[in-house]
Amino acid sequence: MRARFGQFTIDSETRQLLGAGGEVHLSPKAFDLLCSLIASRPKVMEKADLHARIWPNTYVVDANLNMLIGEIRRGIGDSAQKPQFVRTVHGVGYAFSGTAVDVQPSHAPADALFCWVVWNGKTCQLSEGDNVIGRDPRSDVWLDVPGVSRRHAMIRVNSSNRRVTLEDLGSTNGTFVRRTAVDEEVVLTDGDLIRVGKVDLTVRLWATDTAAETKRIRRRTR
């Protein structure tokens, strides 16, 4: 199972939960519990069923399940009082109440472009197609920072024509690349510095074909 919810992507095969700030680490049982809730959404999973899945053939008290739910909520920034993703159904069990979209496994072509942005030591991988940068938690690159608009800018990754471009989405404080305001679509190169409001992001590009990789290395060493 691979699904996306809010700023997070969860993959049961790679056993990874990725957020805007990088990988979110959960204990193995907390990860399995989150996968079960998402796979069964929006159905309420009874505590007995969850016990059977997480601790097969083992008797445990409800407090163990409560601890895992608490770990999940801390990991994804959820709240028991105002849940965005994990809802408690008192006396019954739990349900995944957020909007989650199933994501098909990526079968990247041999000449695919792999792109990501880096800021404050954090990394966020970009997907093929449009990647929105903004303060909206649903953004592909979520920057919860004053001065960043809800939908501030967009990076478009197009492996078919080997182009990665940036455009401003009518932001209040503007988008800059190479210290120049972005007024129209701009082609990005590896190592470009993007300023979004007061946040600086570095673009990293990696091509799977040898020729493109050689050109990238030569450009960086000049």
Side-chain angles (χ1 to χ4, degrees):
M1 180 200 71
R2 192 166 189 263
R4 188 171 189 171
F5 61 97
Q7 60 170 310
F8 302 97
T9 300
I10 190 168
D11 192 324
S12 60
E13 293 188 4
T14 63
R15 295 192 67 81
Q16 286 182 302
L17 174 62
L18 303 176
E23 186 169 359
V24 178
H25 296 282
L26 296 177
S27 66
K29 292 190 181 301
F31 185 89
D32 291 340
L33 175 56
L34 180 57
C35 285
S36 296
L37 292 174
I38 293 175
S40 300
R41 68 186 189 279
K43 175 185 174 183
V44 177
M45 296 197 69
E46 297 184 5
K47 292 183 179 180
D49 292 335
L50 291 173
H51 279 286
R53 290 195 184 197
I54 308 303
W55 297 280
N57 304 317
T58 303
Y59 174 78
V60 295
V61 296
D62 284 348
N64 294 50
L65 185 59
N66 297 339
M67 288 178 61
L68 294 184
I69 291 292
E71 181 183 347
I72 291 171
R73 283 174 171 154
R74 288 190 298 273
I76 62 178
D78 207 9
S79 166
Q81 291 71 35
K82 295 181 179 180
Q84 183 182 0
F85 299 116
V86 179
R87 178 170 64 95
T88 301
V89 183
H90 294 287
V92 181
Y94 299 94
F96 189 86
S97 55
T99 300
V101 179
D102 291 323
V103 180
Q104 295 299 319
S106 176
H107 299 288
D111 59 349
L113 286 170
F114 293 92
C115 315
W116 62 99
V117 292
V118 182
W119 77 100
N120 288 338
K122 300 177 181 178
T123 61
C124 180
Q125 186 170 343
L126 304 179
S127 304
E128 184 77 14
D130 296 343
N131 299 266
V132 174
I133 303 171
R135 288 190 71 184
D136 190 323
R138 294 169 293 184
S139 299
D140 301 283
V141 181
W142 181 34
L143 301 176
D144 190 16
V145 180
V148 177
S149 300
R150 291 185 65 81
R151 287 174 56 86
H152 197 108
M154 181 173 66
I155 297 177
R156 179 175 290 120
V157 179
N158 189 334
S159 291
S160 64
N161 63 8
R162 318 294 288 164
R163 281 167 59 93
V164 179
T165 58
L166 169 73
E167 64 178 287
D168 184 76
L169 297 179
S171 65
T172 301
N173 295 314
T175 303
F176 299 81
V177 62
R178 309 180 201 110
R179 299 183 179 181
T180 302
V182 175
D183 298 320
E184 57 185 18
E185 192 173 65
V186 175
V187 177
L188 297 174
T189 58
D190 181 51
D192 275 343
L193 182 67
I194 299 174
R195 169 153 286 195
V196 177
K198 296 182 179 181
V199 180
D200 289 333
L201 305 96
T202 302
V203 179
R204 300 307 311 270
L205 309 179
W206 182 75
T208 55
D209 68 290
T210 304
E213 177 66 3
T214 301
K215 290 179 182 179
R216 184 183 70 82
I217 293 173
R218 286 176 179 173
R219 183 174 63 247
R220 292 184 62 195
T221 54
R222 286 175 182 173

